[in-house]
Amino acid sequence: MLPSVLRCVRPVSTSLSLSRPLAHFRPHMDPDPSRPVERSIRTKLTDQLTPDHLEVHNESHMHAVPPGSESHFRVLVVSSQFEGLPLIKRHRLVNEALKEELSSCVHALAIQAKTPEQWGSNPSLAKSPPCLGGSRGDHTVEEKLKAGRE
Amino acid sequence: MNSLIRNTARCLRSGAAVYIPRQADGRVWTSSARFLCAAADIQKALGDIVQKDKVVVFMKGTPAQPMCGFSNAVVQILRMHGVDDYASYNVLEDSELREAPNVTLVKMTSLDWNAAFSNQHNNKDNFFGVKAFSNWPTIPQVYFSGEFVGGCDILLQMHQNGDMVEELKKLGISSSLLEAEKESK
């Protein structure tokens, strides 16, 4: 029985290893084109909230973390599952869907959770406020970046 | 190896340290000297903290100097409504805060840590347990009258849709935006 493990792991490219011996080596500054965390977020939100519309934005580049990080995200979820729910319950649903990512690699998650009707009357993505550099002084961010690299 | 075992192993190797917060204005919520306390005490302490003041904010930095754009947004929203007198707790650790004599540093044993947080999905990244306490994975966190309201996104939407004025009224706080609106009429 395989335990289910969140893989915040960069896939190793074995096919290149014959011609380029150091292909498996990824310095942490190198952005991972496969974007595993973003894909995982997208998959889980799609599976669990069956959204009419979904946007997942990696905003790590707007924060005090190395290039290529997958630590700060903004998600916009439009789902009829939010009907009748107060904002806090909607956000908790999103948090629950992404709890593995939030407890490992993802440090910040901005959420917009709208019903289809709300989205119809105001189809706009909110903007994140400018970073004030807090991630630099935050040792827990360093741990999450490490988790993302492992 | 699942994440729980991995996190526990990490704690056992490094030794978990939990920092009791000092309020932004320098007040400590406890005047005791250094002591060892169980996680349950910290959760209870957080319960007391959020009840003690009408508006409580856990943030990065201080209202005078926020260290995070999202935390700053919360500060700005409260300021716009004329809410300046609230309790704020800075979750960022800095060496001065750690070493300062009037901060109580609590070091829990690995077993205590494991027992306290084994069912939490966010074992090692708890700051001083506020993420576990609120069952909310991010900072900032806002409490009104002991009840968790949400983070930056929720506060912003409450501000935009008028709910903030209503919620503050329930706390007995008259939003300055309401005053401004009355004056302009």
Side-chain angles (χ1 to χ4, degrees), chain B residues 128-182:
Chain B
F128 33 85
V130 70
K131 290 182 179 180
F133 177 76
S134 309
N135 190 22
W136 190 263
T138 50
I139 300 293
Q141 297 186 9
V142 180
Y143 279 81
F144 284 174
S145 278
E147 197 179 312
F148 180 62
V149 173
C152 167
D153 300 321
I154 289 179
L155 240 72
L156 183 61
Q157 286 177 73
M158 282 171 68
H159 166 67
Q160 287 170 340
N161 66 18
D163 285 351
M164 179 64 81
V165 173
E166 286 306 311
E167 291 300 316
L168 289 175
K169 201 192 278 184
K170 288 182 197 168
L171 298 177
I173 299 173
S174 181
S175 165
S176 54
L177 289 186
L178 195 61
E179 305 286 320
E181 205 183 291
K182 279 185 192 159

Side-chain angles (χ1 to χ4, degrees), chain B residues 47-139:
Chain B
D48 292 341
I49 281 175
V50 302
Q51 294 289 345
K52 211 156 54 78
D53 294 279
K54 276 187 193 170
V55 179
V56 178
V57 177
F58 296 92
M59 61 180 286
K60 286 187 169 189
T62 65
Q65 198 179 10
M67 293 298 290
C68 156
F70 300 109
S71 290
N72 184 40
V74 166
V75 169
Q76 296 306 322
I77 289 168
L78 290 173
R79 190 166 290 156
M80 277 203 282
H81 288 266
V83 183
D84 285 315
D85 182 23
Y86 57 92
S88 82
Y89 294 87
N90 181 3
V91 303
L92 285 178
E93 301 159 355
D94 62 82
S95 58
E96 281 173 26
L97 187 67
R98 229 178 288 167
E99 301 305 315
N102 62 343
V103 170
T104 305
L105 182 71
V106 170
K107 188 146 177 135
M108 295 166 61
T109 63
S110 309
L111 289 175
D112 289 341
W113 186 269
N114 188 40
F117 297 116
S118 60
N119 291 326
Q120 302 295 337
H121 61 78
N122 209 4
N123 292 8
K124 59 180 167 57
D125 185 15
N126 268 295
F127 295 111
F128 33 85
V130 70
K131 290 182 179 180
F133 177 76
S134 309
N135 190 22
W136 190 263
T138 50
I139 300 293

Side-chain angles (χ1 to χ4, degrees), chain A residues 3-6 59 63 72-74 87-89 91-92 95-96 99-100 102-104 106-114 126-135 137-141 143-144 147 150, chain B residues 1-3 6-7 10 19 60 65-73 91-94 98 121-127 131 134-139 148-158 161 163:
Chain A
S4 64
V5 177
L6 171 72
E59 294 193 333
H63 296 272
H72 295 65
F73 283 88
R74 169 172 289 282
L87 283 178
I88 184 110
K89 289 221 166 100
H91 286 223
R92 285 205 187 276
N95 289 340
E96 187 59 29
K99 65 179 175 193
E100 280 188 87
L102 284 162
S103 62
S104 54
V106 174
H107 173 76
L109 183 68
I111 300 171
Q112 268 179 284
K114 298 192 174 201
K127 261 183 61 171
S128 285
C131 171
L132 296 179
S135 294
D138 188 347
H139 78 101
T140 63
V141 176
E143 283 171 18
K144 288 201 156 167
E150 278 160 11
Chain B
M1 208 165 151
N2 66 24
S3 62
R6 190 168 55 214
N7 284 335
R10 211 172 266 152
Y19 302 99
K60 286 187 169 189
Q65 198 179 10
M67 293 298 290
C68 156
F70 300 109
S71 290
N72 184 40
V91 303
L92 285 178
E93 301 159 355
D94 62 82
R98 229 178 288 167
H121 61 78
N122 209 4
N123 292 8
K124 59 180 167 57
D125 185 15
N126 268 295
F127 295 111
K131 290 182 179 180
S134 309
N135 190 22
W136 190 263
T138 50
I139 300 293
F148 180 62
V149 173
C152 167
D153 300 321
I154 289 179
L155 240 72
L156 183 61
Q157 286 177 73
M158 282 171 68
N161 66 18
D163 285 351

